[in-house]
Amino acid sequence: MAADFDAAEVDPVARVLPLLPVPHLDREFDYLIPRDLDADARPGVRVRVRFAGRLVDGFLLARAATSDHTGKLGRLDRVVSSEQVLTPEIAALAEEVATRYAGTRADVLRLAVPPRHARVEAEAPRTPETPPAPEIEHAAWSRYRHGENFLEALGGGRAPRAAWQALPGEDWPRRLAELAALTLASGKAAVLVVPDQRDLDRLVTACADVAGADHVVGLAAGLGPAERYRRWLAALRGSARIVVGTRAAVFAPTPELGLLVVWDDGDDLHCEPRSPYPHAREVAALRAHAVGAAIVIAGHARTAETQALVDAGWAHDLVAPRDVVRACAPKVTALADSDHALARDPAARAARLPAIAFAAARSALAADRPVLVQVPRRGYVPALACGKCRAPARCRHCNGPLALPTAAGPDGAAIPACRWCGVADARHRCHACGARSLRAVVVGAARTAEELGRAFPGVPVVTSGGNDVKHTVPGSASLVVSTVGAEPVAEGGYGAALLLDGWALLGRADLRATEETMRRWLTASALVRSFADGGQVVVVADSGIPTVQALVRWDPVGHAQSEVSERAEVGFPPAVHMAAIDGSSSAVAELLEATHLPEGAEVLGPVPLPPGQRLPFGSEGPEPEDVHRMIVRVARERGRALGRALRDAQATRTARRADGPLRVQVDPPRIG
């Protein structure tokens, strides 16, 4: 351990984690601390060290008096900043997440710690004022079973864990802000995670109203690097103890964490698209368990994963009694839900807008209330097929799908164009039968708005979706055509909601198709007034489908219980844990050969990649043609062992300098 420079006198050895991309180097390395860096070289600071002849970034995890390394130690090249940005809690969480998701700590820490901004770091931290006493609407919480008990436990500094099912029409940003303010009053911090910027803005506003703006920061990827780092430092230094943000905010380094909240955990925006692909709900659960914090997984719908936590006793239901739900919910009507309705409108099951939908819209508009129309696809006509043989219309240049991007021109004709390469094809012929006629497979939001404008002349038509998402709309009569997930909030609530093209959502070949459809429908229906106030929802789908029946009953918990039961019968998550290994045949076989799988593990496949899944290759070389997916399935209690085994196998593989990049995802959102 001898050095040719003056090392620090006390604990001269620095344990450093270099931020390197290869799994077999995901470990600490020892370096000697020069005397001139002794004061700044504290655990948690950013450092630069020389590794394999080049300078790399890293974090100083700990200091020690001696090293197990028997050779000569290199010196710590530089302390980038004296700010201790990596807290012991987040360092331990990064290790746990890397093990759970078969990744590396370097990848996790890139998600958890934002890039440094020196000018912002030099700014003096602000001292917030004393937070006001929280104003809690106890009447709102008393509508839920054990709602008051939950508030009492949270305010008393205990760590309750709940799955909160928000009532239709509930002011959920205000309710979550009250929980955060109650946690702040108990002397602890709160982290609230939402899927997108629109929800973030609503929740930040509510938290500022309840707890005071000085105590709240919002973290999102859309912020500039300086402002994002400034807000992140406010959370680290404790000057802002309520953090609201999107998925990466679950790693916010707030001291004395008392509450974690994940809103709408079924939204796929909570799933990180970068390695190691963690889900915000799972990270929040790991963190709450590790530090003994309270956690609330909330939403209008419920995922099978959340229901599994309730079934296991790890979390408890925070739901309203059925009579309260019925009093708050709008009337939900499905297609031909009775013999009388079918006799009155025999063509209801074939019509895109049946008579009951027109009647609900006319009733709401007559009462000077807006009508929400939810459609699954944006655009005009996003999918076309042959008018004779029904074969999908394909581009002659790239074989991509053809669509009508705009309405017909003055001559009544519209030119189809490819959705992949953008080439227009005015002389298209079917590749199967040679016919030139085309028909719409699915109708987009723009075409729907056009049709409704003709059906209700004089009524304003508002569209929301794509790059033009509306946050709010007035409470007067209008038709609001929105794609799923882009529904604006109406002042006072919508008078009616029409949920169109249910088959397009339910018919997807995806494990989570029914769960996702239920979530989309409940989110839109929750914006409608209660039945007592004239609110109606018409879902254009067969009334015999279980998901439709659950919506009619407004029973997200029962639907989630059915999902858990059905998946357990066939061995799908959350009853089991699965790992998807994507790559070439040789790369996947090499990884599995190096993996010591847990007892009882099943290897399934190969199967094709799910449609739309990007290829797992980041190199500049040609992509192999035999890309496929292998599935490894283990019992639920062996999920952590599976993650560790795959993590070790990837380290072994990269240590052997194996080529052919591949991707490992534990519990991916799409299995195949």
Side-chain angles (χ1 to χ4, degrees):
M1 200 173 86
D4 53 4
F5 58 89
D6 290 336
E9 294 182 358
V10 180
D11 293 336
V13 178
R15 299 269 159 80
V16 176
L17 175 67
L19 298 181
L20 300 169
V22 285
H24 71 279
L25 297 178
D26 183 24
R27 60 187 182 89
E28 295 88 4
F29 292 86
D30 289 350
Y31 290 85
L32 280 179
I33 302 173
R35 188 186 299 272
D36 59 330
L37 299 180
D38 186 18
D40 291 337
R42 298 176 295 168
V45 300
R46 306 176 200 255
V47 297
R48 299 211 81 194
V49 295
R50 191 163 295 279
F51 192 94
R54 61 190 181 95
L55 287 175
V56 298
D57 295 320
F59 289 104
L60 196 158
L61 299 184
R63 291 182 60 162
T66 59
S67 172
D68 294 334
H69 182 66
T70 56
K72 182 179 179 180
L73 294 181
R75 60 171 286 166
L76 196 68
D77 190 81
R78 183 159 68 97
V79 175
V80 177
S81 166
S82 60
E83 189 81 41
Q84 293 172 280
V85 294
L86 182 60
T87 64
E89 182 214 334
I90 299 303
L93 179 63
E95 169 64 29
E96 193 65 29
V97 172
T99 300
R100 166 73 171 81
Y101 285 96
T104 65
R105 283 178 292 175
D107 284 338
V108 177
L109 291 176
R110 286 190 181 97
L111 305 176
V113 182
R116 178 176 180 253
H117 199 282
R119 179 176 57 82
V120 171
E121 205 170 76
E123 296 173 357
R126 58 184 177 85
T127 303
E129 299 178 357
T130 303
E135 297 181 3
I136 310 297
E137 293 184 23
H138 290 274
W141 284 105
S142 64
R143 297 186 298 173
Y144 300 91
R145 291 193 186 99
H146 311 301
E148 290 289 347
N149 295 336
F150 181 82
L151 294 180
E152 181 182 352
L154 189 63
R158 299 196 293 275
R161 299 191 288 257
W164 177 43
Q165 221 56 50
L167 283 166
E170 179 68 271
D171 186 3
W172 63 265
R174 173 77 186 193
R175 299 288 85 77
L176 295 183
E178 290 170 352
L179 297 182
L182 198 59
T183 305
L184 182 64
S186 70
K188 296 185 178 181
V191 174
L192 298 86
V193 184
V194 294
D196 55 35
Q197 185 68 45
R198 186 173 57 162
D199 289 341
L200 187 150
D201 293 339
R202 293 181 64 191
L203 190 51
V204 166
T205 301
C207 288
D209 290 342
V210 177
D214 285 347
H215 302 278
V216 183
V217 291
L219 294 177
L223 297 170
E227 182 59 27
R228 182 166 183 251
Y229 193 56
R230 181 179 292 110
R231 298 185 185 187
W232 187 85
L233 281 179
L236 172 69
R237 295 167 176 173
S239 56
R241 297 176 69 82
I242 297 178
V243 179
V244 184
T246 49
R247 57 179 176 256
V250 74
F251 294 101
T254 52
E256 298 181 83
L257 181 64
L259 173 67
L260 280 155
V261 174
V262 180
W263 171 258
D264 197 11
D265 66 301
D267 196 313
D268 57 6
L269 291 176
H270 281 301
C271 189
E272 176 60 52
R274 295 172 293 177
S275 179
Y277 317 103
H279 194 288
R281 176 193 57 242
E282 303 302 317
V283 177
L286 289 172
R287 189 175 182 185
H289 178 75
V291 302
I295 184 171
V296 177
I297 304 174
H300 292 295
R302 178 172 291 190
T303 60
E305 284 76 11
T306 300
Q307 185 60 40
L309 294 176
V310 174
D311 292 343
W314 190 85
H316 298 280
D317 272 324
L318 192 57
V319 299
R322 291 301 304 169
D323 58 333
V324 176
V325 173
R326 284 192 291 269
C328 296
K331 177 185 178 183
V332 182
T333 306
L335 290 182
D337 58 354
S338 67
D339 293 338
H340 177 67
L342 186 59
R344 291 189 61 184
D345 188 8
R349 287 175 174 157
R352 184 163 187 257
L353 276 170
I356 54 173
F358 276 104
R362 280 194 293 266
S363 175
L365 293 173
D368 195 28
R369 293 172 178 173
V371 176
L372 175 64
V373 183
Q374 184 195 68
V375 293
R377 305 281 182 86
R378 62 180 179 178
Y380 193 74
V381 179
L384 294 168
C386 174
K388 182 178 180 181
C389 70
R390 304 299 193 263
R394 293 287 179 179
C395 174
R396 289 183 291 176
H397 299 274
C398 70
N399 203 38
L402 291 183
L404 288 182
T406 58
D411 58 353
I415 300 177
C418 178
R419 284 165 46 196
W420 290 359
C421 67
V423 174
D425 191 355
R427 305 181 65 181
H428 170 78
R429 285 187 179 274
C430 177
H431 66 278
C433 68
R436 299 196 61 178
S437 60
L438 292 169
R439 69 187 300 269
V441 176
V442 65
V443 177
R447 175 66 180 269
T448 303
E450 182 182 287
E451 293 174 350
L452 290 173
R454 295 195 190 106
F456 297 94
V459 177
V461 179
V462 179
T463 59
S464 178
N467 296 325
D468 185 23
V469 176
K470 306 291 192 302
H471 295 285
T472 59
V473 292
S476 56
S478 63
L479 291 164
V480 181
V481 181
S482 170
T483 54
V484 289
E487 301 88 356
V489 177
E491 297 176 7
Y494 289 97
L498 313 180
L499 311 178
L500 305 186
D501 301 333
W503 60 269
L505 292 173
L506 289 168
R508 294 183 300 118
D510 192 287
L511 172 67
R512 305 180 189 276
T514 56
E515 179 181 279
E516 177 68 6
T517 301
M518 186 68 171
R519 188 182 72 83
R520 297 293 194 184
W521 284 349
L522 284 172
T523 300
S525 302
L527 301 174
V528 181
R529 296 168 181 257
S530 67
F531 179 44
D533 198 16
Q536 301 181 67
V537 174
V538 177
V539 52
V540 184
D542 193 326
S543 59
I545 299 174
T547 303
V548 178
Q549 283 296 308
L551 176 66
V552 171
R553 298 191 308 271
W554 204 281
D555 186 18
V557 175
H559 187 265
Q561 289 172 338
S562 298
E563 280 285 307
V564 171
S565 176
E566 291 172 4
R567 294 187 196 180
E569 289 181 5
V570 293
F572 281 126
V576 299
H577 284 292
M578 282 187 170
I581 306 171
D582 304 336
S584 63
S585 301
S586 58
V588 172
E590 188 177 27
L591 179 71
L592 290 175
E593 184 181 352
T595 306
H596 299 288
L597 292 174
E599 182 180 353
E602 297 178 80
V603 180
L604 310 173
V607 297
L609 286 181
Q613 188 81 31
R614 63 182 179 86
L615 295 176
F617 299 99
S619 61
E620 297 181 357
E623 297 169 345
E625 298 180 357
D626 63 338
V627 178
H628 63 257
R629 167 170 287 188
M630 295 289 285
I631 302 290
V632 181
R633 178 167 60 187
V634 298
R636 183 171 176 82
E637 62 272 13
R638 300 187 185 278
R640 193 175 190 277
L642 174 63
R644 180 177 292 280
L646 290 171
R647 183 185 182 187
D648 294 342
Q650 290 188 85
T652 301
R653 182 174 175 272
T654 56
R656 296 172 179 171
R657 299 183 180 275
D659 57 359
L662 51 74
R663 175 176 58 224
V664 176
Q665 289 180 273
V666 177
D667 292 334
R670 301 186 67 190
I671 296 173

